[in-house]
Amino acid sequence: MKLNIALLSGDGIGPEVIDQAVKVSDAIANRFNHSINWVKALTGAAAIDAVGDPYPLETHQICLNADAILFGAIGHPKFDNNPFAKVRPEQGLLKMRKDLGLFANVRPTFTFPSLIDKSPLKRERIEGTDLVFLRELTSGIYFGERGRKDNGNTAFDTCTYTREEVKRLAKKGFELAMNRSKKLCCVDKANVLESSRLWRETVQSMEKDYPEVTVTYEFVDAVAMRLIQWPNSYDVLITENLFGDILTDEASVISGSMGLMPSASIGLKTSLFEPIHGSYPQATGKNIANPIATILSAAMMFEDAFNLKKEADLIRNVVNQSLEESIVSEDLSNGGKSYKTSEIGDWLSNQILK
Ligand code: IPM
Ligand code: MN
């Protein structure tokens, strides 16, 4: 199969972890007789520095023409502490999500048996955790009307949702639940927010189309609590953009390191695959970042964008093997022997080619 993939490495540790995912994907292509055409494009601070725009039109076109997009990370400290910066890397990310219609962000949280004691939570609380958040990604407070009034002394951001936006996200949630353990939790704040009441009403109206799925409705504050008490009680959770942003960071540490969890953003035409972690500026250029989240994102890409399940499973198997054999980066080594980012990529691709 010929795979045409846009490669957006972005900022910070992005290029380093992306290099490993490319290595591993090329090894898979070699082993299964595929040919991958990687098309590199600029995003984030790197794109601002080069062309003054964090999501240039040329990058958008490359993404539109690709079968899938593999993305590293975005963000640079030189913009974070300057509230007056006119362009910011994150604007590129938001524009990319909007322009590519990446409406559903799939963020799984699962545990690796060999890393169970790395989790900040007790073993018995987290064993068997295997849940997926579907976070709405192109609407809500991230994209609502905002501004200042009273001579700049009052600021507002608004959360707006249409029934259609809720429906298309919820549909993905129901479908995902059907392929898993048929449990769907709608996370909202319907006791306070009108937009949440629209979410609840819309999801309720869809229940009859999926009679096998058991739907529960929970308030976001309660979910934040139960997620660390009994994460293994959840399966598929659907939620709006900002709640999803916050809860998926919380969920990500359950596995033991943020550097482990992959994600996919399902688009209207093309989908994007990226690690859930950020650009980790402190580690940039040191070859110490954990590449596993990006490599597992490549696995999701093989499965979801190209329907190549055997390829995806082989990546997951060699990743599990590397963790069992403690071929791990600094974040997981507990002061013991750790491996460089590039060494982990080499080890995994060698295993694939064995
Ligand atoms: C994420 C990130 C982004 C978000 C930032 C970088 C804009 O935190 O992908 O979760 O808030 O969506
Ligand atoms: Mn986030």
Side-chain angles (χ1 to χ4, degrees):
M1 189 173 182
K2 198 164 176 341
L3 322 182
N4 192 23
I5 305 173
L7 194 62
L8 277 51
S9 20
D11 304 321
I13 57 164
E16 297 162 53
V17 290
I18 281 284
D19 277 353
Q20 312 318 312
V22 167
K23 243 183 233 171
V24 167
S25 302
D26 283 340
I28 288 285
N30 189 318
R31 166 119 188 215
F32 290 88
N33 259 321
H34 302 302
S35 97
I36 304 183
N37 177 30
W38 300 104
V39 189
K40 290 191 178 170
L42 288 169
T43 44
I48 298 178
D49 291 342
V51 296
D53 179 348
Y55 185 59
L57 190 60
E58 198 192 334
T59 299
H60 182 55
Q61 241 111 36
I62 289 174
C63 290
L64 277 182
N65 289 329
D67 305 319
I69 305 160
L70 191 61
F71 182 81
I74 226 171
H76 194 287
K78 73 182 172 197
F79 298 94
D80 291 346
N81 298 324
N82 175 8
F84 302 106
K86 287 240 152 43
V87 275
R88 325 180 143 268
E90 289 78 4
Q91 287 165 343
L93 186 62
L94 298 180
K95 187 161 183 341
M96 177 170 76
R97 288 174 180 171
K98 195 71 175 175
D99 292 358
L100 291 171
L102 303 175
F103 67 94
N105 184 213
V106 186
R107 293 189 172 182
T109 288
F110 45 88
T111 50
F112 297 89
S114 52
L115 297 181
I116 213 110
D117 295 318
K118 299 274 191 286
S119 174
L121 302 182
K122 293 195 189 96
R123 168 185 281 270
E124 61 271 24
R125 298 259 165 189
I126 58 164
E127 257 170 350
T129 297
D130 181 10
L131 57 86
V132 188
F133 271 97
L134 264 182
R135 165 189 174 193
E136 200 292 324
L137 205 58
T138 53
S139 189
I141 202 164
Y142 273 62
F143 294 94
E145 219 182 295
R146 67 171 53 120
R148 295 272 181 125
K149 42 191 190 183
D150 303 334
N151 292 327
N153 294 315
T154 304
F156 62 96
D157 297 274
T158 47
C159 178
T160 306
Y161 270 104
T162 66
R163 199 178 294 277
E164 277 315 305
E165 286 169 337
V166 179
K167 238 188 195 157
R168 72 178 175 187
L169 192 276
K171 184 166 179 288
K172 290 277 172 213
F174 276 108
E175 288 167 359
L176 192 58
M178 283 298 290
N179 285 327
R180 296 172 48 101
S181 50
K182 302 190 171 63
K183 278 190 340 195
L184 182 70
C185 176
C186 174
V187 183
D188 62 32
K189 189 72 188 171
N191 51 347
V192 178
L193 303 177
E194 197 55 42
S195 54
S196 284
R197 289 193 274 271
L198 178 70
W199 269 75
R200 213 173 256 223
E201 180 187 314
T202 307
V203 176
Q204 274 169 352
S205 76
M206 296 169 78
E207 280 186 37
K208 61 177 182 328
D209 303 326
Y210 304 89
E212 288 170 61
V213 178
T214 307
V215 188
T216 54
Y217 298 85
E218 290 182 37
F219 297 139
V220 60
D221 45 354
V223 174
M225 186 175 68
R226 214 148 77 77
L227 201 53
I228 50 168
Q229 278 180 317
W230 304 113
N232 51 17
S233 67
Y234 288 114
D235 186 33
V236 179
L237 302 101
I238 54 173
T239 193
E240 63 90 53
N241 205 340
L242 183 61
F243 296 162
D245 179 47
I246 298 166
L247 292 178
T248 55
D249 262 28
E250 185 188 352
S252 76
V253 296
I254 294 172
S255 65
S257 166
M258 222 194 177
L260 292 169
M261 292 294 121
S263 82
S265 297
I266 301 170
L268 297 171
K269 185 179 168 291
T270 321
S271 297
L272 176 144
F273 301 84
E274 61 170 317
I276 66 150
H277 60 69
S279 59
Y280 193 11
Q282 307 87 319
T284 305
K286 295 189 182 154
N287 202 17
I288 56 168
N290 189 340
I292 297 300
T294 315
I295 290 166
L296 291 176
S297 302
M300 276 180 106
M301 176 182 77
F302 279 104
E303 179 160 3
D304 299 353
F306 300 108
N307 211 5
L308 297 172
K309 176 131 177 47
K310 272 199 301 233
E311 287 78 344
D313 283 343
L314 180 56
I315 297 179
R316 293 181 189 124
N317 287 344
V318 293
V319 165
N320 281 334
Q321 203 184 332
S322 72
L323 298 175
E324 272 154 31
E325 297 189 22
S326 298
I327 315 290
V328 293
S329 45
E330 231 175 60
D331 52 319
L332 293 172
S333 68
N334 259 351
K337 168 144 180 64
S338 65
Y339 289 76
K340 297 282 178 203
T341 311
S342 58
E343 289 174 331
I344 296 174
D346 291 340
W347 193 91
L348 293 169
S349 36
N350 284 335
Q351 286 301 112
I352 289 168
L353 292 171
K354 252 186 192 164

